[in-house]
Amino acid sequence: MTIVKPSTLPGFMELLPKDQVVFNNLLDIIKKNFERYGFLPIDTPVLEKAEVLLAKGGGETEKQVYEFTKGTTDIAMRFDLTVPLARYTVEHFSDLHFPFKRYQVGKVYRGERAQKGRYREFYQCDIDIIGNGKISLVNDAECPAVIYSIFREFDFGKFTIHINNRKILNGFFKSLEVKSSEEVMRIVDKLDKIGVDNVKEELDKIGMSSENIEKLISFIGIDGTKEEILDALKKLNCDNEDFKQGVEELEAVVKYMRAYGVDDDYFNIDLKIARGLDYYTGTVYETFLDDHRELGSVSSGGRYDNLAGYYTTNLMPGVGMSIGLTRLFSKMQELDLIKKKGNKVSDIIIIPMESTIEKSIEILAKLQKAGISTTIYTESGKMGKKFKYADALDIKYALVIGENELESNVFGLKNMETGDQEELSLEDIIDKFSK
């Protein structure tokens, strides 16, 4: 028999149990906060009909899609959670209530070149609020409020949610008579990565005049408090309706974010934020860890006018944000920023003597029924080996059960971190953990 050397494909993350527990805890934080704000869970298939998934066509993303044929059906693996959401809302339109607030956490697949920090399979954690015909601007403030709650609980350090509005940018570009707003936005969106000089050079290459380049650089450089930036925008001599509407919307979103309890120190107005994707039409967001800007945006999103234009004539505007958890987790792990305190699966490990296994299992069931996460070690071996096993799993308490313990109903509950031991009845142990 030929022995095949086991290995994972490049670009796929696989974790050891300890790290998987940490990852799952982050997932739990995300889901808990999504649901706390009233977002409903959905789960769409990993595989979609290629004609549905690739309805828009073109672009770099389509080149990265995993696509294959099974019988006469062309099948593609989802590359994000937004396109499946569009299909889902149209297919189930009559069964949904609008505005439809959904969240989805799932793996997506992109066949790009595998490299450090970039994956072919990765978790996306998305929230979106979809309207039927229209949707309130208040929703533009709720999405970053959810992200704020999540990252405060993550405790990765100080972070800032940068907000802007595409109408402000579009209106300003029109006032400069820019031919391709989308192209200019894509260049502006790279400013933090490539610097001002390279941005100027790229703008010059697409035929923008030196005078307009300077006006643009000056515009996106407007800085100060939120009120100072909004005042500066209002005083600009820009007679464009999109621009004026964008400023009004941005001012309203700031007001509503404060009403949601988002601390002013954790968000700001950043006129450089454009979001390269062309379907964003209003508010846009990028979230950065203040001490690790080199990681890029750790959560992003925005408002779009028509989610499902390729599947229906109904106008379905929406707003949403996303966390790419796989990449974020790997970077946080690399920087040793993930606090692993309290990431054990079990609180207690029961170590029975051989003659007490059956009764120990009964005690295990009682502890589990009381809501205490408990496991049992029934393998033979020296006591040191058994305690070492508990240490390896980060289990804090060990409960050794022999005949004497069963007869007296007094058990030695050993703290594996300190070495201290308490003599407690089973009822006392349950009471201790319930508190």
Side-chain angles (χ1 to χ4, degrees), residues 147-275:
I147 299 301
Y148 168 77
S149 297
I150 290 169
F151 276 87
R152 287 298 297 266
E153 196 168 344
F154 277 173
D155 197 20
F156 290 161
K158 177 69 168 55
F159 62 91
T160 304
I161 302 170
H162 296 244
I163 64 171
N164 194 12
N165 192 297
R166 289 284 286 258
K167 291 175 183 174
I168 294 174
L169 295 174
N170 279 330
F172 186 76
F173 295 159
K174 285 176 184 175
S175 73
L176 298 181
E177 298 182 347
V178 169
K179 292 179 181 177
S180 175
S181 294
E182 294 300 330
E183 195 168 9
V184 172
M185 272 197 238
R186 275 190 280 271
I187 295 170
V188 168
D189 203 35
K190 297 190 289 184
L191 192 142
D192 286 337
K193 293 179 183 177
I194 66 175
V196 173
D197 290 340
N198 286 319
V199 165
K200 287 182 177 180
E201 189 176 322
E202 289 199 21
L203 291 172
D204 180 64
K205 286 178 181 176
I206 65 169
M208 199 168 177
S209 70
S210 299
E211 181 184 356
N212 281 346
I213 289 174
E214 291 305 323
K215 285 181 180 178
L216 176 57
I217 296 299
S218 176
F219 166 74
I220 60 177
I222 295 173
D223 201 4
T225 66
K226 298 169 189 67
E227 280 67 33
E228 287 169 347
I229 294 173
L230 289 167
D231 286 342
L233 291 173
K234 291 173 187 176
K235 291 174 183 175
L236 272 181
N237 185 25
C238 183
D239 189 22
N240 178 279
E241 287 306 312
D242 281 346
F243 179 90
K244 292 174 183 176
Q245 187 179 357
V247 173
E248 289 175 6
E249 289 181 0
L250 187 58
E251 187 170 31
V253 171
V254 168
K255 178 179 69 175
Y256 293 137
M257 284 179 68
R258 286 169 172 161
Y260 269 109
V262 181
D263 192 315
D264 257 51
D265 287 341
Y266 286 83
F267 77 102
N268 65 23
I269 295 172
D270 186 346
L271 298 175
K272 299 189 299 297
I273 299 298
R275 299 292 294 132

Side-chain angles (χ1 to χ4, degrees), residues 415-426:
N415 186 317
M416 299 296 292
E417 294 176 358
T418 65
D420 297 336
Q421 183 165 304
E422 297 178 85
E423 302 299 321
L424 301 169
S425 69
L426 183 60

Side-chain angles (χ1 to χ4, degrees), residues 289 292-298 327-328 331-332 335 337:
L289 299 180
H292 300 281
R293 286 295 297 259
E294 74 278 6
L295 299 183
S297 176
V298 294
R327 176 178 172 273
L328 175 61
K331 290 294 183 182
M332 294 299 95
L335 295 168
L337 291 181

Side-chain angles (χ1 to χ4, degrees), residues 263-387:
D263 192 315
D264 257 51
D265 287 341
Y266 286 83
F267 77 102
N268 65 23
I269 295 172
D270 186 346
L271 298 175
K272 299 189 299 297
I273 299 298
R275 299 292 294 132
L277 297 175
D278 57 10
Y279 59 75
Y280 289 119
T281 55
T283 311
V284 284
Y285 324 92
E286 298 270 16
T287 308
F288 299 92
L289 299 180
D290 290 9
D291 295 330
H292 300 281
R293 286 295 297 259
E294 74 278 6
L295 299 183
S297 176
V298 294
S299 175
S300 58
R303 174 179 275 251
Y304 37 86
D305 278 341
N306 195 5
L307 171 75
Y310 291 96
Y311 311 116
T312 180
T313 56
N314 293 336
L315 185 65
M316 301 178 74
V319 59
M321 291 188 76
S322 178
I323 301 171
L325 187 59
T326 302
R327 176 178 172 273
L328 175 61
F329 179 81
S330 69
K331 290 294 183 182
M332 294 299 95
Q333 225 183 7
E334 190 180 309
L335 295 168
D336 199 26
L337 291 181
I338 293 180
K339 295 176 172 55
K340 299 191 177 182
K341 182 180 178 183
N343 287 321
K344 57 190 80 59
V345 173
S346 298
D347 293 313
I348 298 175
I349 183 169
I350 292 175
I351 302 175
M353 300 297 103
E354 190 171 340
S355 61
T356 67
I357 287 178
E358 185 178 350
K359 290 293 182 182
S360 294
I361 293 171
E362 292 176 7
I363 290 172
L364 169 81
K366 288 178 182 178
L367 291 173
Q368 290 174 338
K369 190 174 181 180
I372 303 166
S373 55
T374 312
T375 188
I376 190 168
Y377 188 94
T378 58
E379 308 304 314
S380 59
K382 294 182 179 179
M383 192 61 69
K385 177 186 176 183
K386 298 177 182 183
F387 283 139

Side-chain angles (χ1 to χ4, degrees), residues 61 108 157 386:
T61 302
V108 299
K386 298 177 182 183

